[in-house]
Amino acid sequence: MSLDKKQFASDNYAPVAPEAWEALKRANSGHAGAYGVDRWTDRAVDMLKQVFEIDCSVYFVFNGTAANALALASMCQPFNSIICHELAHIQTDECGAPEMFTGGAKLLTIGGDQGKLSTSELEAAASSRKSDVHWSRPAALSVTQGTEMGTLYSVEELAAIVDIARRNGLGIHMDGARFANAVGALDVAPREISSKIGIDVLSLGGTKLGNPMGDVLLFFNPVLAKNFQYRRKQAGQLASKMRFLSAPWIGMLEDGAWLRHARHANTMAQLLAAEISGIVGVEILMPVQVNAVFARMPKTVINQMHDLGWVFYTFIGDDGVRLMCSWDTLESDIEEFSSSLRACMDAVL
Ligand SMILES: *Cc1c(COP(=O)(O)O)cnc(C)c1O
């Protein structure tokens, strides 16, 4: 599917950001060691440690599903369970990868408004039936920041969740497919919403941010990183030409491009929400805190917009759509989309 205009379907519809592309080109010279024994991988690892201000273990993998599933596998036995939000990507969009890579751990989903874990439900799920041999004993919590609903946990909210998990002996995984958007929006140091509050393992997303491919796992808890290299290899996630997974991170991190792009996508979402919320018949459904806008509009209008060539997904019921902005979204794309939407809406009202 090649598309003739900018889309709001997902941030992974966007091309590669120029900084990542340039870094990739620079890495494309001469021979280098395979499987991560190369200077680009060393440099990317060093830069990630610098950005996170901690000496953590860093593992590049091909995508976010693998990052999540393998991180969770490092925390769980096959008889364990993983607590997550009912809308978590690991529950809704990973085809059972966490269950498979843990060798059978069960996802225990809980609710919570706006895509965020309810602390009372978390407390209940983490503490009930603890010594019941018939139950899948919880061993991990997975929390997504920014969430699947385009919202954010504040530092305090995260700390409260981590506290409950810790008290109940759970390992804590963060799905940070849009971690950069969260850092940009909260205007905090990356460590403030990860290592410092007690996250054990972070799946740090690069693809939606503007890398060609490849997400990365940061193990802040060294015990969980033990033997991880074997787990990654067995899962088919050890890239032989590793420099082409790692080098884009150099380009994205070296002058703060990652946060510049993330903040831009966030700003575009704010603008999009402001534009379309002024259209009669459109209702914004979630607070717009990172780079997604969730909006309700009549089904006939959704269909008309699709007929006009706009690609976006329906996420909530059959009339709640998700509009994602990316590093390359322009104000003019938003104007074009909004005027299409206004015209479609005018026609049905
Ligand atoms: C996109 C995404 C992922 C990773 O998906 P892949 O397609 O496997 O790269 C993980 N978590 C969330 C919340 C996502 O949006």
Side-chain angles (χ1 to χ4, degrees):
M1 172 171 56
S2 175
L3 300 160
D4 60 0
K5 55 185 159 205
K6 295 278 184 63
Q7 294 299 345
F8 295 88
S10 181
D11 25 10
N12 57 16
Y13 275 49
V16 178
E19 296 85 354
W21 192 251
E22 283 308 314
L24 203 53
K25 268 168 53 184
R26 285 200 299 274
N28 193 31
S29 73
H31 284 214
Y35 301 108
V37 188
D38 66 82
R39 61 190 169 93
W40 292 277
T41 302
D42 285 347
R43 173 115 174 88
V45 167
D46 282 347
M47 291 179 84
L48 284 162
K49 290 180 186 174
Q50 258 172 41
V51 164
F52 281 82
E53 304 174 75
I54 191 169
D55 185 19
C56 51
S57 299
V58 178
Y59 298 91
F60 296 95
V61 293
F62 289 104
N63 57 38
T65 298
N68 288 344
L70 297 177
L72 292 166
S74 76
M75 301 177 180
C76 292
Q77 298 281 348
F79 51 80
N80 283 135
S81 57
I82 299 154
I83 302 176
C84 66
H85 195 277
E86 60 200 357
L87 299 173
H89 197 270
I90 57 169
Q91 159 72 2
T92 63
D93 285 299
E94 299 190 356
C95 196
E99 291 89 333
M100 188 182 88
F101 283 102
T102 55
K106 177 187 173 80
L107 298 189
L108 284 184
T109 62
I110 64 173
D113 294 340
Q114 301 176 351
K116 299 199 277 186
L117 296 158
S118 144
T119 47
S120 57
E121 290 190 40
L122 172 58
E123 184 84 57
S127 59
S128 68
R129 297 180 68 180
K130 262 193 153 163
S131 53
D132 181 349
V133 72
H134 303 282
W135 187 233
S136 309
R137 188 181 173 137
L141 169 74
S142 182
V143 54
T144 311
Q145 172 82 323
T147 74
E148 287 79 0
M149 291 289 107
T151 56
L152 280 174
Y153 294 94
S154 67
V155 176
E156 295 73 28
E157 285 173 323
L158 276 180
I161 284 168
V162 167
D163 177 58
I164 298 170
R166 274 278 167 266
R167 272 194 283 108
N168 288 283
L170 305 181
I172 304 165
H173 164 251
M174 178 174 276
D175 179 346
R178 298 191 179 89
F179 184 85
N181 302 87
V183 169
L186 290 169
D187 209 15
V188 292
R191 66 188 286 271
E192 304 277 337
I193 54 170
S194 57
S195 60
K196 193 180 164 194
I197 55 159
I199 300 299
D200 290 310
V201 188
L202 171 67
S203 299
L204 178 62
T207 312
K208 286 169 181 155
L209 185 60
N211 279 354
M213 73 178 82
D215 291 354
V216 59
L217 275 170
L218 304 183
F219 280 79
F220 304 120
N221 180 338
V223 176
L224 296 174
K226 190 164 180 278
N227 292 330
F228 188 80
Q229 54 178 329
Y230 304 104
R231 194 184 289 288
R232 175 177 64 174
K233 174 65 186 180
Q234 185 183 44
Q237 291 290 322
L238 175 63
S240 69
K241 283 195 184 176
M242 181 76 86
R243 61 175 147 156
F244 300 107
L245 279 195
S246 57
W249 283 98
I250 301 174
M252 289 296 248
L253 294 173
E254 76 193 340
D255 70 341
W258 73 307
L259 292 183
R260 203 164 53 243
H261 288 313
R263 287 196 171 105
H264 171 81
N266 293 350
T267 304
M268 291 298 105
Q270 292 293 340
L271 184 66
L272 177 61
E275 284 287 325
I276 68 172
S277 64
I279 301 173
V280 178
V282 174
E283 182 197 349
I284 304 295
L285 296 173
M286 293 283 156
V288 178
Q289 296 179 321
V290 279
N291 59 329
V293 178
F294 285 82
R296 179 173 293 133
M297 54 188 71
K299 229 178 134 9
T300 49
V301 168
I302 296 173
N303 292 338
Q304 282 173 34
M305 288 292 281
H306 288 163
D307 290 345
L308 288 172
W310 291 107
V311 184
F312 53 87
Y313 296 111
T314 306
F315 255 68
I316 304 175
D318 60 2
D319 61 354
V321 306
R322 185 190 76 167
L323 305 168
M324 295 297 312
C325 295
S326 53
W327 71 268
D328 75 332
T329 304
L330 299 175
E331 287 187 28
S332 55
D333 303 323
I334 289 171
E335 280 158 25
E336 199 188 333
F337 181 88
S338 304
S339 61
S340 273
L341 183 57
R342 191 169 277 118
C344 290
M345 199 63 89
D346 283 349
V348 300
L349 288 179

